[in-house]
């Protein structure tokens, strides 16, 4: 190997920022990196976003003896060659390229011993960064299973870095690893041989002429820009250095590589070095075939695999839908109980209403999503860690490509039938940014469980009970099925549209490793599950809660004494002429009418009346308009709001025949029915398309790291809903 | 048996070959090479999905999935005669 020093002009050892040293953790996908990260940091973790990209910034605190250090978990990668801003995050973190980030003091590389050769490619790139490096060699059971023996001492000598074998599940090697990290933090910059010394030299010369010259981050970026033809580093450098630098890069490429691309030169040189190491450190014994190694014959079999896949997905879907229901009902019941108790304890008035209808109901509407999110993510994490997720992508790729997406989009789309929030959170497994955003935009069209109450109410009220084909097919069921299909087609249409316009670009590669099946680590699974739950509660929770309180205020204020007086008179009148039982019934009726009267002159009611002309072409009166506005934060709210407006009481649900009857008999002042068939079908279509879910918008903002896509999605889906409802109402009348 | 040149997607499940060249430049090729698919690497077709796309291959002892269009860029040589 060439022997030019990597660290000749590097700055002195990095100072610890604050009192804590930082360690970046990197490795190939499927190396057990996150299990190791979780076992080093436990629950002391933080998840945020890097500025400008959709990658998560995952950090945790670990104790090395009595020293506290910050661990930064980087996304899994096979190479430092970055082809998108998201992949560039690794280089930015490792070299301190982002202004607000300081480079780490030490790099921890997690390596799968069973795939040492391929893993060493990334290792050889990392070693050239000139920092102290610790290689954590995941022995798990795989190395033994394949009969591989690795000479760790020899490997450490050849790599010029610490090598620590570990098995995270049984805690083997964890103490040694901590010791090695503590030792590495004491070391200065490392002086290791380079594979492409002529490129490093040229990069330094070019970087000297650039703005912000002198930063090692810039030098390394320039080096990657020279090697990675068409990569992200080259794009960044072109912005920084213009045509002059672009010309220099072309010159170096041809002088070093000749006819060959520098990427090819780099790969060949690295693998020559790697093969030299492999010969000295690895001995392969007689391989022992495990049942897991044979499993792909079944799970990826064109026919059996497909059947198995349907069964697995069926189980997940069923679990998210039905296992969560009792817990969600329990939360709903708990919320109502708590609200009821507070209403009894406090005197009636604004405070009581704020607590009960605003805060308790608002918090309840956030927490009620949690069971579905946790159950779905328990499955997703299990499928991911066990290795089945990659097979699912393999099996579904062809089908999903017809929709302009890839196999990795399937699970998020399927999850969205329960709830778009976990579905969008699950898009993190999609490596390509354009595919990921297209999936995020298509996901909210899938019929989620919150649409069901709305569908159930409107279908039972306006679609006649008719049976076809000897009673097997029923019209109401057919309409429900049609609404599901409508969502699916709208989602596919949206993804295709975006992939042909705003998200147009070269077809992303579909190179995915199909890792051997393994049993996931329970502790690591639980930590990640906890993390997902926390993200939802904190990030989405705050927005949903705020919106819930705002809508409460719009529906509550202003309060006029005239209404209170009028209904007090009615109550008093009823009390004088009715006996106990009839009185209770009459009082409930009066109270409901009072609530409804308040709502009519509340800001929400006035808004309903103000915007009603806009919705008149859809056949909506002010009551429907107000209910639709109130349900923008959460679509299922429409049932309760309609209950209040039609003075049945706000505690109605979709199975309530009273509400369905009131809707059927609602009329315009002229005596014409409000809910015609065309209008009702239009309303159904509106709810099928419209993005009425603050939680989805909040999570979209988080996952796309900006407001552009959530705002676009909201405007696009609302427009689509409006046009759909307009069409249905016009055709129906 | 004569050695003949074909692309990776032509291999039948269970069939082995040696990569003779990878056509083109750019991100895909760079990724393939980082993953150990170089000239001279041995590669085996493990299985194909319905309709023959994508395919699952074994290289350096691990399983990798790639699309047919991607596999077409990789030329392989099979057969025992060299």
């Amino acid at each position: 190997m060439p022997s030019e020093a990597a660290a000749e002009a590097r700055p002195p050892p990095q100072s610890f920022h604050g009192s804590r040293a930082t360690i970046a953790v990197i490795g190939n996908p499927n190396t057990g990196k996150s299990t190791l990260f979780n076992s080093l940091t436990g629950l002391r973790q933080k998840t945020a976003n890097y500025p400008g990209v959709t990658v998560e910034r995952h950090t945790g605190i670990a104790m090395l003896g009595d020293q506290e250090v910050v661990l930064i978990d980087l996304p899994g990668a096979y190479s430092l060659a970055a082809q998108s801003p998201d992949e560039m995050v690794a280089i930015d973190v490792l070299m301190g390229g982002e202004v607000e980030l300081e480079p780490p003091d030490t790099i921890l590389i997690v390596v799968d011993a069973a795939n040492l050769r391929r893993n060493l490619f990334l290792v050889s790139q990392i070693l050239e960064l000139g920092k102290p490096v610790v290689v954590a060699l995941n022995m798990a059971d795989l190395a033994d299973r394949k009969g591989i023996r690795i000479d760790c001492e020899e490997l450490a000598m050849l790599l010029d870095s610490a090598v620590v074998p570990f098995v995270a599940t049984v805690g083997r090697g964890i103490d040694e690893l901590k010791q090695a990290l503590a030792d590495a933090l004491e070391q200065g910059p490392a002086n290791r041989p380079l594979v492409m010394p002529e490129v490093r030299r040229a990069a330094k010369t070019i970087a000297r002429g650039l703005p912000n010259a002198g930063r090692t981050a810039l030098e390394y970026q320039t080096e990657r820009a020279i090697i990675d033809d068409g990569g992200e580093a080259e794009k960044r450098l072109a912005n920084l250095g213009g045509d002059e630098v672009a010309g220099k890069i072309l010159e170096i490429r041809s002088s070093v590589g000749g006819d060959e691309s520098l990427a090819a030169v780099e790969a060949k040189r690295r693998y020559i070095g790697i093969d030299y190491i492999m010969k000295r450190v690895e001995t392969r014994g007689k391989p022992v075939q495990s049942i897991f190694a044979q499993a792909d014959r079944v799970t990826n079999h064109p026919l059996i695999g497909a059947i198995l896949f349907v069964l697995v997905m069926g189980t997940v879907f069923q679990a998210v839908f039905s296992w969560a229901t009792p817990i969600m009902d329990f939360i709903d019941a708990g919320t109502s109980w708590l609200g009821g108790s507070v209403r009894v304890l406090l005197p009636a008035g604004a405070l009581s209403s704020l607590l009960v209808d605003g805060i308790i109901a608002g918090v309840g509407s956030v927490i009620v999503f949690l069971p579905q999110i946790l159950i779905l993510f328990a499955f997703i994490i299990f499928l991911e860690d066990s290795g089945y997720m990659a097979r699912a992508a393999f099996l579904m790729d062809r089908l999903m490509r017809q929709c302009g997406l890839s196999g990795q989009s399937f699970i998020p789309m399927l999850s969205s039938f329960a709830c778009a929030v976990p579905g969008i959170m699950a898009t993190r497994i999609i490596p390509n940014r354009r595919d990921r955003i297209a999936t995020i935009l298509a996901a909210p069209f899938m019929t989620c469980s919150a649409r069901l109450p709305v569908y159930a109410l409107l279908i039972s009220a306006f679609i006649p009970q008719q049976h076809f084909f000897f009673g097997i097919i029923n019209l109401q069921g057919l309409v429900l099925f049609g609404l599901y299909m409508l969502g699916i087609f709208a989602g596919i249409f949206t993804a295709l549209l975006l992939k042909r316009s705003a998200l147009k670009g070269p077809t992303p590669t579909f190179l995915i490793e199909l890792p051997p099946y393994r049993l996931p680590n329970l502790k690591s699974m639980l930590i990640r599950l906890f993390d997902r739950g926390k993200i939802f509660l904190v990030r989405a929770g705050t927005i949903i809660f705020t919106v819930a309180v705002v809508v409460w205020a719009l529906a509550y204020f202003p309060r006029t004494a005239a209404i209170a007086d009028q209904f007090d008179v009615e109550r008093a009148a009823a009390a004088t002429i009715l006996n106990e039982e009839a009185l209770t019934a009459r009082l409930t009726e009066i109270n409901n009418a009072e609530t409804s009267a308040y709502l009519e002159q509340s800001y929400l009611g006035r808004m309903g009346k103000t915007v009603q002309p806009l919705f008149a072409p859809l056949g909506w009166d002010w009551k429907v308009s107000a209910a639709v506005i109130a349900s923008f934060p959460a679509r299922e709210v429409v049932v309760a709001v309609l209950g209040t407006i039609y003075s049945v009481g706000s505690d109605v649900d979709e199975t309530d025949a009273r509400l369905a009857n009131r809707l059927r008999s609602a009329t315009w002042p002229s005596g014409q029915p409000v809910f015609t068939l065309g209008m009702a079908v239009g309303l159904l279509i509106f709810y099928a398309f419209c993005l009425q879910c603050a939680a989805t918008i909040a999570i979209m903002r988080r996952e796309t790291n900006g407001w552009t896509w959530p705002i676009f999605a909201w405007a696009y889906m609302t427009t689509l809903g409006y046009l759909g409802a307009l069409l249905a109402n016009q055709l129906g009348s | 048996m004569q050695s003949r040149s074909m692309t990776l997607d032509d291999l039948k499940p269970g069939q082995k070959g040696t990569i003779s060249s990878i056509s083109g430049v750019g991100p895909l090729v760079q990724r393939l090479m980082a993953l150990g698919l170089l000239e001279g690497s041995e590669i085996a077709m493990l299985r194909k999905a319905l309709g023959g796309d994508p395919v699952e291959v074994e290289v350096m002892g691990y399983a990798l999935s790639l699309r047919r269009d991607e596999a077409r860029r990789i030329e392989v040589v099979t057969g025992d005669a060299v």
Side-chain angles (χ1 to χ4, degrees), chain A residues 25-277:
Chain A
V25 187
I26 194 165
N28 283 188
N30 310 308
T31 49
K33 180 169 68 74
S34 61
T35 305
L36 179 64
F37 184 86
N38 287 331
S39 108
L40 286 172
T41 61
L43 285 175
R44 300 180 69 188
Q45 301 188 3
K46 240 168 58 182
T47 312
N49 269 89
Y50 289 106
V53 291
T54 60
V55 179
E56 278 194 328
R57 177 174 166 79
H58 205 88
T59 54
I61 308 252
M63 297 300 294
L64 307 179
D66 48 10
Q67 187 187 0
E68 231 180 47
V69 294
V70 178
L71 260 57
I72 308 172
D73 190 15
L74 288 165
Y78 295 107
S79 160
L80 285 182
Q83 278 145 20
S84 67
D86 284 5
E87 290 177 352
M88 200 69 187
V89 162
I91 293 178
D92 285 339
V93 170
L94 292 171
M95 302 307 292
E98 290 294 324
V99 189
E100 63 259 53
L101 295 174
E102 275 191 58
D105 302 284
T106 289
I107 302 171
L108 170 63
I109 317 176
V110 187
V111 164
D112 176 14
N115 268 314
L116 188 58
R117 188 170 180 256
R118 192 198 65 214
N119 278 257
L120 282 178
F121 187 87
L122 180 68
V123 173
S124 80
Q125 288 180 326
I126 298 283
L127 288 172
E128 293 185 359
L129 302 181
K131 292 194 188 302
V133 168
V134 174
V135 176
L137 197 59
N138 189 352
M139 308 301 286
D141 29 18
L142 291 170
D144 296 333
R145 208 184 278 157
K146 285 192 178 172
I148 300 170
R149 293 276 173 281
I150 289 164
D151 184 342
C152 292
E153 278 172 42
E154 182 76 8
L155 184 61
M157 200 199 72
L158 289 166
L159 296 180
D160 184 20
S161 76
V163 174
V164 184
F166 78 97
V167 181
T169 40
V170 296
R172 187 186 133 200
I174 300 296
D175 291 335
E176 291 85 342
L177 198 56
K178 288 183 174 176
Q179 186 55 51
L181 288 171
D183 292 346
L185 286 172
E186 302 293 316
Q187 291 164 20
N191 196 21
R192 302 194 190 88
L194 295 174
V195 162
M196 307 280 274
E198 62 278 64
V199 176
R200 174 73 56 95
R201 264 199 307 273
K204 278 186 177 171
T205 318
I206 293 177
R208 237 172 262 145
L210 291 171
N212 305 326
R215 293 176 51 205
T216 39
L218 196 62
E219 281 171 26
Y220 191 70
Q221 253 185 51
T222 312
E223 184 175 330
R224 290 281 16 140
I226 296 171
I227 301 172
D228 308 338
D229 194 345
E232 185 64 22
E234 190 181 8
K235 280 178 207 141
R236 269 206 207 168
L237 212 64
N239 288 335
L240 213 60
D243 291 345
E244 196 196 328
V245 169
K248 278 187 199 158
I249 287 181
L250 288 181
E251 235 168 75
I252 300 158
R253 278 181 187 160
S254 70
S255 80
V256 177
D259 294 337
E260 235 175 348
S261 74
L262 285 194
V265 175
E266 182 196 20
K268 281 175 189 167
R269 286 189 191 171
R270 286 200 196 281
Y271 272 111
I272 289 171
I274 289 166
D275 287 340
Y276 174 89
I277 294 172

